[in-house]
Amino acid sequence: MKSDDVRKVKLKECLSQRYKSSRDETFLGTIKPRMGVQGLTTFLETHQQIYRDVQFRMSRLVIDGCNLLHLLYFDSGLDQNHGGEYAAFENQVEKFIAALRACEIKPYVVLDGGTDPTDKKLETVTQRAEDRIQRAHLAAVGGSQENIMPQLAKMVFKQTLARLEVPVAKCYGEADQEIGALANELNCPVLSSDSDFYIFDLSAGLLPISHFQWEALEQSGSRCYIPCKNYKTSNICILFNIQPQLLPAFAALAGNDYVKLQRMESFIRWAQFCPASAVKPSRLEGLLCWLRSFHQPQEAFEAALGLMGTLSGKRKAELLQGLHLGMEEYRLPPSTLKRFFLHGTAPPFPAEEETAGLVPDWIRLPFTQARLSSDILDVLLLQRKNLGYPVADADTPSAYLSSRPIRQVMYGLLLGCRGGPVQERDRKGLHLKFIPVQPALRGVAEQLQLNSLDKAEASQRLQVLLEALGVTEASLSCLPTRLRLLMAVTCYWMQRAQPRPNDRLLRALLLGVANSDALRRRADLQIQNQKLNVGVAHAFSQWQACMKDSIHLNQLLGYPLPEPQIAKLYEGTVVHNLVHQMRTRKMKRLKYNPSSVIQYKAMLSVVHQSLSQEATKPSVTQKTPTSPRRQHQGDLTTSLQQLFLQYEDDEETATEAYSVVRAAQDRDLDGLLSVKTRYKARERINSGYNPDLVLKKELRWVDVM
């Protein structure tokens, strides 16, 4: 066995042991994105009597958006390692919303926002980022499913909900308390898997996602309903005979995201307080039993510290403060989102003195509408940004290096003259690093101010975006507006990605864009135990990183270009398989309609022209003459692009137009063809007067590769 293979095997064994505990927290295939009270969900699953079976219908429902995202992607068995199955994910979201509407359930989806400026969860966030880096490496080298969310899945989730007109709101910070407060004010339950919701006092209770059988609709009379289970805090209090006001104290003593009491665990073995009849004594059951003799949190806290032996006054005060802080996280404030959902009014931004004035007022509404990235608040308030960690071999550099210049423009717009770098939390090998990145303003961007960015001229905002991507408006003018940002990003990727993507990767990407629906249905393009090519994965991860950062910049600039619908234009599993088949020469001729061919060739020519212009920019004193033949070919390419733009929605006319252009191309290349090929070319030219014949002979099987 090679030394590299030995190293990878040892690393996999080490990491598998390291993450055993986190996998123990997995239920129904879903790792909870926020752990809350560790082990609580698993513990309560062994006490099914705390749940009540319900037939859920005709109700409002507040949904933990982060949990739903993970449920719909991971529990659907979608591919995680080849860049995402976004079309299938979109379909899952559509089916979920259709199930709710069939039962007359009105959803309100609430998403997390920026990082807590107090950094109370910094240790937790850092640990999870490090864990994800390790798991992403395991997935790349071993092919295992490590629950790594594809980079653009969250964007597909939000785009699909917006298209379906589902009410969505993004909080300024973490969403848990706002979700609970909103549910109480709307008098409806919460749908989530986060164990914190077992502690919140929810008037209509919690519907655990693990028991929400939305794919198994049943009918009672003429109405449909979703079979599920409902949980209320009174259930656990009755079962373990504790006072309701002690539940937050229980969560704090058990340890949650905000309270790290591992040292307390080394002093107090809560399992010793389990009843003798307990089949499998656990720390959580022991802690609940121990709390029976108390009525108020304060007395329970002091008694718990007494079990730790002699403590200094300072140490005791620190522990008490931490326990009270942890308990306060379960106090529900008045909802700030109710007015937004009912009247479209954005909530006020928290008025902490240290953050006052850093966030312009105009940002509040689009941010709450989930039309701006959460990272905007992190940059404005903390000058920090967390980057993604896609499936990648640790030996490859971070996929986000290629898109850094795009983010630098965004940092420049956000921070203006405030100065100072943004600390990017990125991967370096298998390690998490903070990397200082300086904001950058150049060109038109230097003329804009964040406070008035929403009022800037549309032409200025468009120019900032195009300058950041290194393309011109003229180079994209031959394309329909829905493809312009996607193609600008692709041109940028071809110039910035390292190593530079070869033409095979580009053609696979564009072929997937032009023929996404047809290719997804091809059985021979499905993932079938194909080992991940880490080089191809790295290239397309860079493309997704460029797309993600470009969309965020486009959002900040007020959408000067329409946002690409990711699920319609990119499928990671398809492009990986196309590259594989091209490389192994097993590529079959693919059947396309004429408009797809025109679209493909138009996009390909845009990228090639962009690369050519970048590579052969003449000096001021030097001019390169253009040969008549090359000039004529350029005119034909322009004609092809213009035809696509003109007839993209008219397939019959596009077919005729395509045949004419192809006939002209064949005539121009006639001198370069073999005798046999020249004969076929002439036959196509002669049949150019009969578009129906062209459609049958020329476009029945088109090999665009």
Side-chain angles (χ1 to χ4, degrees):
M1 186 179 292
K2 296 181 181 179
S3 58
D4 285 347
D5 294 334
V6 171
R7 178 177 66 86
K8 291 177 180 178
V9 168
K10 288 183 177 179
L11 176 62
K12 185 171 183 178
E13 291 174 352
C14 174
L15 295 178
S16 296
Q17 182 62 33
R18 176 177 176 182
Y19 298 112
K20 182 179 185 299
S21 60
S22 67
R23 291 195 183 98
D24 288 343
E25 287 296 303
T26 304
F27 65 98
L28 294 183
T30 303
I31 285 184
K32 297 184 290 297
R34 297 188 300 272
M35 288 186 283
V37 182
Q38 297 183 33
L40 180 58
T41 301
T42 304
F43 168 69
L44 293 179
E45 286 298 297
T46 64
H47 295 81
Q48 289 291 309
Q49 61 269 42
I50 68 170
Y51 297 116
R52 180 173 61 90
D53 291 327
V54 296
Q55 299 177 359
F56 191 62
R57 64 184 176 193
M58 299 179 67
S59 172
R60 290 170 169 169
L61 178 65
V62 177
I63 298 176
D64 182 342
C66 183
N67 266 228
L68 180 63
L69 166 66
H70 284 73
L71 168 85
L72 294 180
Y73 198 92
F74 291 139
D75 281 12
S76 301
L78 300 178
D79 179 80
Q80 301 170 21
N81 296 351
H82 293 80
E85 285 188 274
Y86 295 135
F89 178 50
E90 178 189 51
N91 184 250
Q92 280 295 104
V93 178
E94 290 173 344
K95 289 195 296 185
F96 179 83
I97 298 302
L100 297 187
R101 289 174 172 167
C103 301
E104 300 179 70
I105 299 168
K106 183 171 179 57
Y108 296 86
V109 179
V110 182
L111 301 168
D112 287 323
T115 304
D116 189 327
T118 65
D119 272 345
K120 288 182 290 188
K121 291 181 63 174
L122 182 60
E123 182 183 344
T124 299
V125 171
T126 300
Q127 180 61 52
R128 290 178 190 171
E130 291 173 344
D131 288 355
R132 175 167 174 144
I133 290 170
Q134 308 280 0
R135 290 188 285 113
H137 175 74
L138 275 182
V141 300
S144 55
Q145 300 289 299
E146 297 292 337
N147 285 348
I148 303 298
M149 185 67 70
Q151 294 179 81
L152 301 177
K154 188 173 184 179
M155 198 167 288
V156 171
F157 181 67
K158 290 190 291 186
Q159 288 180 346
T160 307
L161 292 178
R163 180 171 53 79
L164 297 175
E165 299 182 343
V166 175
V168 177
K170 182 187 290 186
C171 298
Y172 295 132
E174 189 168 293
D176 285 7
Q177 287 182 311
E178 185 55 51
I179 288 172
L182 178 65
N184 279 352
E185 296 202 17
L186 296 179
N187 193 30
C188 68
V190 167
L191 180 68
S192 178
S193 66
D194 191 334
S195 58
D196 282 335
F197 290 104
Y198 286 96
I199 308 299
F200 288 122
D201 185 16
L202 303 174
S203 59
L206 168 71
L207 305 182
I209 281 183
S210 56
H211 297 290
F212 195 71
Q213 302 177 55
W214 64 273
E215 292 181 286
L217 295 187
E218 295 187 14
Q219 200 158 352
S220 176
S222 60
R223 298 184 183 276
C224 293
Y225 66 86
I226 296 176
C228 59
K229 295 182 182 295
N230 182 278
Y231 162 89
K232 292 188 177 181
T233 53
S234 58
N235 299 357
I236 192 173
C237 292
I238 292 172
L239 179 63
F240 290 98
N241 192 26
I242 67 170
Q243 299 297 318
Q245 63 269 23
L246 288 175
L247 266 187
F250 159 73
L253 286 166
N256 58 17
D257 283 344
Y258 290 92
V259 184
K260 307 301 176 187
L261 294 175
Q262 291 89 345
R263 293 187 182 90
M264 181 175 284
E265 277 292 303
S266 66
F267 285 97
I268 308 173
R269 300 297 180 185
W270 294 115
Q272 65 181 302
F273 300 107
C274 288
S277 59
V279 177
K280 188 177 180 181
S282 69
R283 68 181 184 93
L284 294 181
E285 184 172 3
L287 176 54
L288 284 166
C289 292
W290 179 79
L291 285 169
R292 289 173 180 170
S293 57
F294 302 99
H295 294 278
Q296 295 299 328
Q298 181 64 26
E299 58 179 315
F301 289 159
E302 291 181 355
L305 296 181
L307 293 175
M308 296 180 66
T310 303
L311 295 172
S312 67
K314 181 180 179 181
R315 178 60 179 153
K316 183 177 180 179
E318 288 175 350
L319 286 172
L320 277 174
Q321 182 183 13
L323 288 167
H324 281 288
L325 178 64
M327 190 173 66
E328 283 298 309
E329 296 301 323
Y330 299 101
R331 188 185 303 276
L332 294 178
S335 173
T336 62
L337 288 181
K338 182 178 178 181
R339 289 188 63 206
F340 169 74
F341 278 121
L342 298 182
H343 307 294
T345 304
F349 195 78
E352 285 86 352
E353 185 177 341
E354 62 273 15
T355 62
L358 297 181
V359 182
D361 189 64
W362 69 264
I363 282 180
R364 292 188 297 117
L365 184 57
F367 188 92
T368 307
Q369 293 170 332
R371 291 170 57 82
L372 288 175
S373 165
S374 299
D375 296 324
I376 284 178
L377 292 187
D378 288 355
V379 174
L380 286 173
L381 302 180
L382 301 171
Q383 290 195 212
R384 184 192 302 161
K385 179 174 170 60
N386 299 321
L387 301 181
Y389 313 105
V391 170
D393 190 318
D395 293 334
T396 61
S398 165
Y400 281 83
L401 288 175
S402 58
S403 59
R404 181 178 290 171
I406 301 172
R407 295 193 300 279
Q408 287 179 285
V409 174
M410 178 179 286
Y411 301 156
L413 291 170
L414 289 171
L415 299 177
C417 59
R418 281 168 54 184
V422 172
Q423 298 293 328
E424 291 191 340
R425 192 197 303 259
D426 200 0
R427 174 183 71 82
K428 198 167 186 179
L430 280 173
H431 302 289
L432 186 66
K433 300 288 185 182
F434 276 107
I435 302 168
V437 176
Q438 291 293 338
L441 284 177
R442 53 182 177 271
V444 177
E446 294 181 287
Q447 305 171 22
L448 303 181
Q449 299 291 327
L450 180 63
N451 287 335
S452 58
L453 186 58
D454 59 317
K455 297 181 176 62
E457 293 290 335
S459 58
Q460 286 184 302
R461 291 183 279 113
L462 174 61
Q463 194 58 33
V464 171
L465 179 64
L466 297 180
E467 287 177 354
L469 295 175
V471 296
T472 63
E473 189 174 3
S475 67
L476 303 175
S477 61
C478 60
L479 299 171
T481 55
R482 64 183 176 83
L483 290 179
R484 289 181 185 178
L485 181 54
L486 179 138
M487 292 312 303
V489 170
T490 303
C491 291
Y492 174 94
W493 170 67
M494 286 295 293
Q495 296 176 20
R496 291 281 188 168
Q498 293 296 330
R500 173 170 285 192
N502 58 42
D503 206 50
R504 185 187 296 127
L505 295 174
L506 172 64
R507 288 175 181 270
L509 176 67
L510 299 185
L511 193 58
V513 171
N515 301 274
S516 55
D517 290 338
L519 291 174
R520 279 192 291 268
R521 293 192 291 268
R522 286 281 299 271
D524 59 312
L525 285 176
Q526 303 304 311
I527 294 288
Q528 296 174 347
N529 301 320
Q530 180 184 319
K531 184 178 180 181
L532 182 70
N533 183 311
V534 294
V536 174
H538 180 60
F540 288 128
S541 287
Q542 290 183 86
W543 183 86
Q544 292 203 53
C546 294
M547 178 58 69
K548 183 178 179 181
D549 287 334
S550 298
I551 287 178
H552 289 165
L553 177 58
N554 187 53
Q555 291 173 347
L556 179 63
L557 291 167
Y559 297 84
L561 288 178
E563 188 167 290
Q565 295 298 303
I566 302 299
K568 306 293 185 201
L569 300 174
Y570 181 81
E571 190 81 347
T573 52
V574 168
V575 295
H576 271 262
N577 269 302
L578 285 172
V579 173
H580 175 72
Q581 291 190 12
M582 293 179 206
R583 177 174 289 151
T584 57
R585 299 185 181 277
K586 294 180 180 179
M587 188 74 187
K588 298 179 180 179
R589 287 177 177 258
L590 305 174
K591 189 175 182 179
Y592 301 111
N593 61 54
S595 59
S596 294
V597 176
I598 296 175
Q599 176 178 330
Y600 170 81
K601 288 184 174 293
M603 293 188 298
L604 189 64
S605 68
V606 166
V607 179
H608 284 168
Q609 287 176 13
S610 173
L611 292 175
S612 176
Q613 291 169 3
E614 182 70 20
T616 61
K617 286 181 179 177
S619 63
V620 178
T621 58
Q622 183 180 9
K623 292 186 178 180
T624 304
T626 303
S627 68
R629 179 180 295 275
R630 185 174 297 275
Q631 178 66 45
H632 182 57
Q633 291 174 348
D635 292 341
L636 288 173
T637 299
T638 301
S639 299
L640 187 64
Q641 295 168 350
Q642 291 173 343
L643 286 169
F644 169 49
L645 180 62
Q646 185 175 357
Y647 300 123
E648 60 170 328
D649 296 321
D650 186 348
E651 185 173 316
E652 182 178 351
T653 307
T655 300
E656 298 183 18
Y658 175 77
S659 67
V660 173
V661 174
R662 280 300 301 268
Q665 288 177 317
D666 287 337
R667 187 183 301 111
D668 184 63
L669 297 174
D670 189 57
L672 301 176
L673 300 177
S674 65
V675 174
K676 182 177 179 180
T677 308
R678 185 182 304 124
Y679 173 79
K680 291 184 177 181
R682 288 199 183 106
E683 185 179 39
R684 286 194 294 269
I685 294 171
N686 293 333
S687 65
Y689 297 102
N690 187 342
D692 291 333
L693 185 60
V694 172
L695 178 63
K696 292 178 181 179
K697 292 185 177 181
E698 173 72 14
L699 297 174
R700 184 175 298 152
W701 294 97
V702 180
D703 185 359
V704 298
M705 307 315 299

